Amino acid sequence: MLQIDLWKRIAIWGLVALGLLLALPNGFYSRVEQHNDAAAAVEAGADPSSVAEDLALWPSWMPSSLVNLGLDLRGGAHLLAEVQVEDVYQARIEGMWPEVRDLLREERDRVGPIRLQPTEAPELRVRLVERPEMTEEAASLVRGLARPVTDTITGVGDSDIEVTTEQAEIIIRLSEAERRATDDRTVRQALEIIRRRIDEVGTREPTIQRQGADRILIQVPGIGSAGELKELIGTTAQLTFQPVISRTSNADERAGVGNEILPSLDEQGVFYILERAPVVTGEELVDAQPDFDQNGRPAVSFRFNPTGARKFGDYTAENIGNPFAIVLDGEVISAPVIQSHIPGGSGIITGNFTVEDSTNLAVLLRAGALPAGLDFLEERTVGPELGADSIEAGKIACIVAFVLVLAYMLASYGTFGLFANIALIINVGLIFGLLSLIGATLTLPGIAGIVLTIGMAVDANVLVFERIKEEMKTAKGAARAIELGYEKAMSAIVDANITTFLTALILYAMGSGPVRGFAITLGLGIITSVFTALFVTRLIAVMWFERKRPKSVLQGRALRLVPQETSIDFFSRWKLWLGISGVMILVALGSFGLQGLNFGIDFKGGTTIRTQSAEPVDVGQYRDAVGDLGLGDISITQVFDPTFGPDENVAMIRIQAQDDTESVTPEVIAEVEAALQSAVPDIEFTSVESVGPKVSGELIQAAIIAVALAIGAVLVYIWLRFEWQFAVGAVIALVHDVALTVGIFSELQIQFDLAIIAALLTIVGYSLNDTVVVFDRVRENLRKYKQKPLREVLNISINETLSRTMMTSVTTLLALFALYFLGGDVIRGFVFAMIWGVIVGTYSSIFVASTVLMWLGVKRDWSKPDANAGTQFANVDA
């Protein structure tokens, strides 16, 4: 009976209300953002009265979480840094030398004199000069210095060092477990220090997160360029206090094993020979503040933690009259003579500082020293103007797509179309509510994901409405038809959306940056779409039915894409359709083999600079301007877009990586910008993107794995839900769609970048969505028509689902065309791939997957197990 319990109604409307309430702040973005900034300032200790006006912009009792805007929407800088964890091994093992030296000196009578040997590897080599026969005994003593490994599960019970012998030498290395633990500590420490440094500057909503084993993703909205961000976080500020052996003017003088020679920061031509192992390091600092020395000159005061204070105090007490070097980033700031014991662990760093220098140094020291160097694999700068343009283009595209889909649904399904439209509006609100709740970042591909969701969200409603229409022919009354419509459409809806959700999960797991943003909005959109279609639309329909009590529903639609009854024989010319597919695949493969793909910098490495000028773009002028820089092959293209104004003349300059190992340096980018500026004075550089050869190669590998995983996941799921023959048919159709999409990009030489991989995976999901709906009906009809030939059952099933297939394709294409023409040039290639994918996906679900299934055959009695099915999970209920 068509009814929904009161508690379910309350629960559904409660969830809707909660989701829309969470989404509400995004409708007042700037006001809520000001309120949030003021609230954060009060938490940090600001006077509430000074920000009272901003606090009053939004009620404190209302939700105030916003969807974070990505760099491509707000502007800012993006860096992908690789932590050089190997750098730490050398410093870590060298720091053990004083301990090893003191231990063996105490046993001098037994082992004799020792000498540290030079080595390039991260190890200590200690030679027994007079008593080589005591090497094993000395090594046994050194093994007593070993400590248990910490901070790693796999290293529990292991020692931090390995001590071996080689003739008269003791070799001390870090153990493998300690290296893993050191790697983890180094990356975590670098992550925290980068976060502190960026927080010191007071930027809004930075994204700083670990990516993989040894990489850190840094995204900071509002900062001027990736160069500024690198300057902020790339300064190591490694502070050490080291014993001075001597002072010299000869930079080439031998320092001796265990020592190093460093230049003076202030005195030109002066160098210091220092013991390499520091007495105290900046890691033991707890505070550093700009200050002034006794002569009123800018300085930095510092304070150690108890451990550092004890070591600092002990050393100064034992070395009165000896010089002591304060070293910052490999330069000696000063080397004062210790005049007296310095207890308490505090002191002052003096030098030729300005007030600004002392302030910056204090900030860096407070944040701490980066434990290892950073190698920047990927850099992106997006100007705020480009971000604002992207937001505007995205808004317009969303509104137009929304209006087109709403009008189309209303024209197609009348009153029930209105119900679907209400659910669609709620659906978009719920997406923003969930994005706000989890603190997700919305990117331009994310907006594309929402627009795509608008097109695909109606699919579940279309499945239900088409099923209700069918049931009206046989069911006893409208109430029973509505009930059966939802009941029988459930399986197809669940199967179709789970397969698309699987691709969203793979996108999120394998992707990065904007691709992940797209995956998040796509995944959340699938969840909210199913909820609104199965619960919200149904509840609205039930409430309407309870009031109106109509005799029939969904009869006499105003707009039809296909006739109400169709009996097309889709297999009468199956050889022609497969022949067309075969020829297109051969052309695609031929094009791919002959000219390949026009890879973007994501996959090829290099730098892309986007420019904008009021003057028309003269490619020859641009090429002449940069031609003398000796940068090899530089690609310069003008970007045409109907949304550009008359004074928006945009060009893209692409510079290849200089070789297989080197990225385009910031100095080269600056030279290119300066050369273009001299040729075109009003030129602006709205974005700069750099990807190193190392990360570009990894992205290609990850992209191939992602597509393979998506197809594999689909194969397994359909095998479990149907039979292996269905799975093979679906996968062949997917390979067909992917091959044709890659082929069209090769034929037209459209730039192929990371966003296109996201499009390919979405095509996999969409095509599968169509195929699963057809297969679900085939499975149902195989039970219903047990005596009909398989070909006839397939024809009936495709005809019965044809209206739904065309409706879903058209609504999705309406949204995508709006995005293609109005969404801006930045994601046009991505949207083109989606449009092409929807077309070939619709074709393959009808003509390729079903034909393969007809060839393979399928068991007819679903009530009995079949050895050919290959799994006891076939036909598992969803």
Side-chain angles (χ1 to χ4, degrees):
M1 187 174 180
L2 188 62
Q3 64 179 10
I4 298 176
D5 295 336
L6 178 61
W7 71 269
K8 290 183 181 178
R9 299 186 186 206
I10 294 172
I12 292 169
W13 289 127
L15 285 173
V16 168
L18 178 61
L20 296 181
L21 188 64
L22 290 171
L24 184 63
N26 295 287
F28 307 89
Y29 202 95
S30 58
R31 293 175 59 181
V32 178
E33 195 169 47
Q34 284 180 261
H35 167 273
N36 290 347
D37 289 344
V42 171
E43 278 188 29
D47 182 6
S49 61
S50 64
V51 290
E53 190 173 335
D54 287 343
L55 286 172
L57 290 173
W58 188 253
S60 58
W61 52 270
M62 287 280 286
S64 58
S65 297
L66 294 169
V67 175
N68 298 327
L69 298 181
L71 297 188
D72 50 2
L73 297 179
R74 171 166 278 177
H78 161 111
L79 294 174
L80 179 62
E82 186 174 66
V83 183
Q84 302 302 300
V85 291
E86 294 85 359
D87 293 353
V88 180
Y89 302 158
Q90 187 71 35
R92 172 88 167 75
I93 204 72
E94 284 177 355
M96 294 191 66
W97 167 237
E99 197 174 2
V100 173
R101 178 192 60 200
D102 293 345
L103 172 68
L104 295 179
R105 278 180 179 173
E106 289 177 4
E107 301 293 333
R108 185 184 179 92
D109 293 341
R110 293 168 57 197
V111 302
I114 60 171
R115 184 175 299 159
L116 183 65
Q117 301 298 299
T119 178
E120 295 296 322
E123 62 186 17
L124 291 178
R125 284 183 171 262
V126 183
R127 186 175 187 83
L128 273 62
V129 179
E130 297 177 357
R131 299 183 182 177
E133 71 278 4
M134 299 297 292
T135 303
E136 281 296 340
E137 188 170 341
S140 179
L141 292 171
V142 174
R143 289 188 187 99
L145 297 175
R147 299 178 180 87
V149 173
T150 58
D151 294 339
T152 175
I153 296 172
T154 56
V156 172
D158 290 330
S159 298
D160 62 343
I161 59 172
E162 293 175 349
V163 183
T164 59
T165 60
E166 187 176 296
Q167 297 178 348
E169 291 182 354
I170 304 167
I171 305 168
I172 306 156
R173 300 186 182 98
L174 295 181
S175 68
E176 186 61 35
E178 178 62 16
R179 288 192 180 211
R180 288 195 300 269
T182 300
D183 291 351
D184 184 60
R185 284 196 301 268
T186 301
V187 175
R188 283 194 282 114
Q189 186 180 352
L191 185 73
E192 184 57 33
I193 289 165
I194 289 170
R195 181 175 285 113
R196 283 188 208 162
R197 290 186 181 179
I198 290 174
D199 287 346
E200 286 273 358
V201 182
T203 57
R204 174 187 285 143
E205 297 169 359
T207 299
I208 306 161
Q209 60 190 30
R210 187 168 179 172
Q211 194 168 84
D214 57 358
R215 292 180 183 175
I216 298 174
L217 176 69
I218 308 131
Q219 293 181 330
V220 183
I223 200 164
S225 69
E228 288 180 37
L229 183 56
K230 284 169 68 177
E231 189 175 339
L232 173 64
I233 67 173
T235 307
T236 56
Q238 288 183 342
L239 182 71
T240 56
F241 295 79
Q242 296 172 234
V244 176
I245 295 173
S246 65
R247 172 175 163 146
T248 180
S249 58
N250 181 11
D252 297 323
E253 185 173 332
R254 288 179 60 84
V257 179
N259 301 329
E260 62 183 345
I261 184 166
L262 297 178
S264 171
L265 179 65
D266 300 329
E267 300 171 279
Q268 188 71 26
V270 174
F271 298 87
Y272 289 87
I273 298 176
L274 312 175
E275 286 190 23
R276 191 184 296 273
V279 174
V280 195
T281 70
E283 290 183 14
E284 292 159 309
L285 278 177
V286 292
D287 192 24
Q289 296 292 337
D291 205 341
F292 294 92
D293 64 14
Q294 58 190 4
N295 298 315
R297 293 176 301 191
V300 177
S301 60
F302 62 86
R303 182 165 53 86
F304 289 119
N305 63 18
T307 303
R310 185 178 63 254
K311 288 194 286 188
F312 189 60
D314 291 346
Y315 187 85
T316 56
E318 296 169 3
N319 291 273
I320 294 173
N322 295 327
F324 191 53
I326 302 172
V327 181
L328 179 70
D329 288 337
E331 293 182 304
V332 177
I333 296 176
S334 61
V337 174
I338 299 171
Q339 303 293 342
S340 62
H341 174 218
I342 306 175
S346 61
I348 191 165
I349 302 171
T350 59
N352 292 330
F353 298 139
T354 64
V355 172
E356 184 180 2
D357 289 339
S358 65
T359 302
N360 289 340
L361 178 57
V363 167
L364 290 172
L365 293 178
R366 276 201 308 276
L370 282 171
L374 300 177
D375 184 12
F376 294 101
L377 305 177
E378 190 176 306
E379 304 174 29
R380 302 182 195 272
T381 301
V382 181
E385 299 84 4
L386 181 60
D389 292 346
S390 297
I391 291 177
E392 193 59 32
K395 281 182 180 176
I396 294 171
C398 281
I399 291 169
V400 171
F402 213 59
V403 170
L404 287 175
V405 172
L406 292 180
Y408 183 66
M409 288 297 291
L410 189 61
S412 298
Y413 292 110
T415 303
F416 275 72
L418 178 63
F419 300 159
N421 289 344
I422 294 171
L424 187 59
I425 294 169
I426 292 172
N427 181 42
V428 174
L430 292 180
I431 291 174
F432 276 94
L434 286 173
L435 288 172
S436 301
L437 181 65
I438 65 177
T441 298
L442 182 64
T443 60
L444 195 55
I447 290 180
I450 292 175
V451 173
L452 181 62
T453 299
I454 292 172
M456 293 178 66
V458 299
D459 178 55
N461 284 311
V462 169
L463 279 168
V464 172
F465 296 165
E466 290 296 320
R467 198 69 199 227
I468 291 173
K469 185 166 67 75
E470 290 178 35
E471 295 301 328
M472 276 300 301
K473 301 171 189 175
T474 57
K476 297 178 180 178
R480 183 62 179 158
I482 294 173
E483 188 175 15
L484 287 174
Y486 277 97
E487 183 180 308
K488 292 189 175 182
M490 175 75 77
S491 176
I493 291 171
V494 170
D495 282 331
N497 283 282
I498 284 179
T499 49
T500 309
F501 191 72
L502 284 173
T503 61
L505 286 178
I506 292 167
L507 262 179
Y508 182 81
M510 302 298 296
S512 62
V515 175
R516 277 196 165 187
F518 174 75
I520 289 171
T521 52
L522 180 64
L524 293 179
I526 291 167
I527 294 169
T528 56
S529 297
V530 172
F531 171 74
T532 52
L534 295 182
F535 296 100
V536 178
T537 311
R538 183 174 188 171
L539 179 54
I540 295 172
V542 169
M543 293 170 65
W544 168 81
F545 185 84
E546 289 172 346
R547 292 192 62 185
K548 297 292 186 179
R549 295 288 177 182
K551 299 294 184 185
S552 65
V553 291
L554 288 171
Q555 301 299 301
R557 284 188 309 174
L559 177 65
R560 290 186 186 280
L561 293 175
V562 296
Q564 189 167 354
E565 299 286 346
T566 59
S567 56
I568 304 170
D569 185 358
F570 289 96
F571 300 98
S572 61
R573 297 186 178 180
W574 63 268
K575 294 181 181 178
L576 173 64
W577 305 126
L578 291 188
I580 292 172
S581 291
V583 169
M584 291 177 69
I585 288 175
L586 286 175
V587 170
L589 292 174
S591 175
F592 184 77
L594 291 173
Q595 59 183 2
L597 291 167
N598 177 21
F599 285 116
I601 62 163
D602 287 336
F603 297 132
K604 209 167 186 178
T607 294
T608 296
I609 303 173
R610 181 185 174 100
T611 69
Q612 183 173 315
S613 170
E615 296 182 25
V617 174
D618 184 340
V619 173
Q621 181 187 20
Y622 282 34
R623 193 175 297 282
D624 291 342
V626 299
D628 297 333
L629 299 179
L631 300 177
D633 183 27
I634 295 182
S635 169
I636 302 173
T637 56
Q638 184 172 2
V639 178
F640 297 97
D641 193 274
T643 62
F644 290 165
D647 59 344
E648 289 182 279
N649 298 288
V650 177
M652 300 290 282
I653 296 98
R654 190 164 73 180
I655 311 166
Q656 290 301 118
Q658 300 304 292
D659 56 49
D660 290 339
T661 58
E662 291 294 326
S663 304
V664 179
T665 64
E667 291 75 20
V668 169
I669 295 172
E671 286 179 13
V672 171
E673 291 182 347
L676 291 170
Q677 194 94 51
S678 63
V680 185
D682 75 331
I683 199 168
E684 295 178 358
F685 305 101
T686 53
S687 73
V688 180
E689 299 183 57
S690 293
V691 178
K694 179 177 181 180
V695 75
S696 64
E698 292 173 358
L699 287 174
I700 293 176
Q701 183 180 359
I704 294 170
I705 292 172
V707 174
L709 280 176
I711 293 176
V714 164
L715 177 69
V716 171
Y717 182 80
I718 299 220
W719 196 332
L720 292 177
R721 286 288 288 130
F722 295 86
E723 286 189 85
W724 68 268
Q725 296 96 329
F726 288 85
V728 172
V731 166
I732 289 176
L734 295 184
V735 173
H736 166 275
D737 299 343
V738 171
L740 291 188
T741 304
V742 172
I744 197 73
F745 271 78
S746 175
E747 281 285 339
L748 302 179
Q749 285 295 289
I750 302 170
Q751 184 169 297
F752 194 89
D753 54 26
L754 199 56
I756 306 305
I757 297 299
L760 281 177
L761 288 175
T762 310
I763 290 166
V764 167
Y766 181 87
S767 172
L768 194 63
N769 186 309
D770 262 356
T771 304
V772 165
V773 169
V774 174
F775 282 180
D776 189 82
R777 186 58 66 93
V778 170
R779 180 173 59 181
E780 180 182 335
N781 284 335
L782 283 171
R783 297 190 186 102
K784 185 176 179 181
Y785 305 110
K786 294 184 178 181
Q787 303 304 316
K788 287 184 183 294
L790 178 58
R791 172 171 169 166
E792 193 173 336
V793 173
L794 288 168
N795 261 321
I796 292 171
S797 302
I798 297 171
N799 276 286
E800 288 177 348
T801 56
L802 185 62
S803 178
R804 171 265 162 203
T805 299
M806 297 306 298
M807 280 289 299
T808 301
S809 297
V810 170
T811 51
T812 306
L813 286 172
L814 283 174
L816 288 172
F817 276 123
L819 196 63
Y820 183 81
F821 290 109
L822 302 172
D825 68 288
V826 178
I827 55 170
R828 185 154 287 128
F830 170 83
V831 179
F832 174 80
M834 290 299 310
I835 291 172
W836 174 258
V838 168
I839 294 170
V840 298
T842 302
Y843 167 85
S844 69
S845 65
I846 295 174
F847 294 105
V848 178
S850 299
T851 303
V852 172
L853 183 59
M854 184 182 71
W855 278 354
L856 294 174
V858 67
K859 70 175 182 176
R860 304 306 305 272
D861 188 354
W862 286 70
S863 63
K864 297 178 181 177
D866 182 0
N868 294 328
T871 173
Q872 72 261 35
F873 296 107
N875 196 29
V876 172
D877 287 336

